[in-house]
Amino acid sequence: GGARDRSRSPRAGPGDDDGGELVTIHVDELLMPKRPAVGPTRSDREVFVNPLPDKEHEQEWFEAIGQVQEVFRLPDPLTGQEGDKGYVLFASHADAMQCVETGAGEWSESER
């Protein structure tokens, strides 16, 4: 027998060129209408914000709410570039609470 080409698996899997695309969905992007209401703990500092302000106004927007430690913008699924929604980690629970209470964001499920 001849040499067998082992570069392709008989089953399609991640990375195989089967025409499919890998899409990442973060828990806070999912609608969960049956999820019981659970309040934040005193240590919660992460908020999901949709939409985030554009980069030009980001600093001004955050200063009006509270001290921000980190911003993670979710990539746009079509372009792969930073999108207009994401996670904001505030320096304190009080700052995160201010963001939620103003309606600018909601407590992140990924932190729990």
Side-chain angles (χ1 to χ4, degrees):
R4 182 172 173 212
D5 179 11
R6 296 178 188 261
S7 64
R8 292 197 47 98
S9 168
R11 292 179 292 163
D16 286 348
D17 188 15
D18 62 359
E21 292 184 42
L22 178 64
V23 177
T24 302
I25 299 175
H26 296 264
V27 69
D28 293 296
E29 295 179 282
L30 299 173
L31 296 176
M32 296 186 285
K34 295 185 178 185
R35 185 189 180 285
V38 177
T41 66
R42 287 184 282 215
S43 63
D44 284 345
R45 299 181 300 131
E46 187 175 81
V47 175
F48 182 70
V49 179
N50 181 15
L52 282 164
D54 57 34
K55 287 280 203 178
E56 298 161 1
H57 301 101
E58 185 177 81
Q59 189 65 32
E60 176 184 320
W61 190 83
F62 291 133
E63 286 174 359
I65 293 175
Q67 185 177 357
V68 171
Q69 252 186 329
E70 183 180 349
V71 176
F72 174 72
R73 288 180 176 269
L74 299 179
D76 180 287
L78 298 176
T79 66
Q81 301 297 314
E82 288 185 339
D84 66 349
K85 58 187 167 184
Y87 295 94
V88 179
L89 181 63
F90 287 90
S92 71
H93 175 76
D95 289 341
M97 178 73 80
Q98 173 75 13
C99 181
V100 172
E101 287 178 349
T102 61
E106 55 192 47
W107 293 108
S108 170
E109 295 296 327
S110 67
E111 188 178 47
R112 297 169 193 228

